[in-house]
Amino acid sequence: MLVTQVVSLQNQVRELQARLNQNSQNSSRPPSSDENKPKRTRRTGLPKVPKSNGGQAGHKGDTLEMVEQPDEIKQLRPQRCACGKRLLRQDMEVNARRQIFDIPPPKLEVVEYQQMSCCCPDCGAVNVGEFPSGVSAPVQYGHGVQAVVNLLSVKCQLSHQNIGELFGDLYGQSINDGTIQSFLSKGNDRCESVEQSIKDHLFSSASIHGDETGLNIGGKRHWLHVLSNDKWTYLFAHAKRGREAINEYAAALKDYTGYLIHDCLSTYWGYVLAVHCLCVPHLLRELTAQVEQKRSWAEQMYLLLLQLYDKYQQGKTIHRRSHEWRLYQQICRQAFEEEPSPSRNDKGKIKKTKGRNLAERLLKRQAEVLRFVMEDGVPFSNNQAERDLRPAKGKQKVAGCFRTQTGAQRYARMQGVISTLRKQGHHVFEALKVILSGREFSF
């Protein structure tokens, strides 16, 4: 009896220590939650690859280069020779060129529309000119200002107060909160059809990354969902994390037949027509936590997945009869021997260690885990979805929370549109002006 209690207490201590030692390297916790950021460790058993300082090979640079047609040219002519001779009419040639890229003094351009009228010389009827579409008030802001406000709020994550102050500092004309809110509301309405186009393209693409993150709306926990790939981004906020949210905003996912990459959330397994692929870095973090608890099977699995990643980078593939496939299964069976057997708690429910749960999941989902190295075009990670969610965390840190579901949904729609425009290579500011003007926009 005493031995049983000691073993039980030892297991509890190990479990509590594992919780205390959680960080972004061995769990799903974000890096911002790390009190002392852990140092990146070199991959065990693999040689260290030396890297030079600065940009690495293949990195797309963005160096400032001279232009052929500058906006202004200032010629610096010598006035007098060292001998005292004045140099007035001598022929001169360009000796060297230097260019400065700067911003001209910012100002708001004011365009006045004057509605003219006249009487018809034949019938005497009064005829008046028509104002352009959208010019409906005596004084109003144009589509350029509206686009900038949406960009500052969504992309640059500024508060309404900071947006108003910035306009006052730059243009001498601050914008009040009500006006900013109306611009954001208009942007949301005008982007509805663009968002629908994004969804149509996304659900007809070869692969989709899915993920979600917590979002504070009105002091309550909600969820920001993302479905995206390297060309399209669709975001939506919902009070639920699971299928109810996806069925309401992304019902087309049930008919999707391409690759669906995710972090093994149970909701996604319900979409049976899709070809499921699991995020391997997510599993590597879970394996790291088990390695820290001296589980030898976890270290072997960790190294095997990294070796398969090297094959993936080299363009090599494996099959179900390969040595790596069998070794994967062997390591999982070893895990069942190392991990404590399932037990029942006081309520009669079966309790398993995190390591055993992980091993069972790895064995059950072996094809989904290794699909990245079995089929061409399957990504190794779900990092695309995580990158598309990341801006929302910055926005929430600035704002603290979203006050209403409407505000959160406005942000999600506009962020998805801006992200897609950037992925597609569009000039975001010019594209937003077209969208806000009510003109048709297509990708």
Side-chain angles (χ1 to χ4, degrees), residues 392-410:
K393 311 308 282 187
K395 176 67 174 178
Q396 191 166 241
K397 284 184 178 180
V398 172
C401 72
F402 291 93
R403 294 183 180 180
T404 64
Q405 175 75 23
T406 300
Q409 199 59 45
R410 285 177 182 173

Side-chain angles (χ1 to χ4, degrees), residues 38 256 401 420:
Y256 183 68
C401 72
T420 300

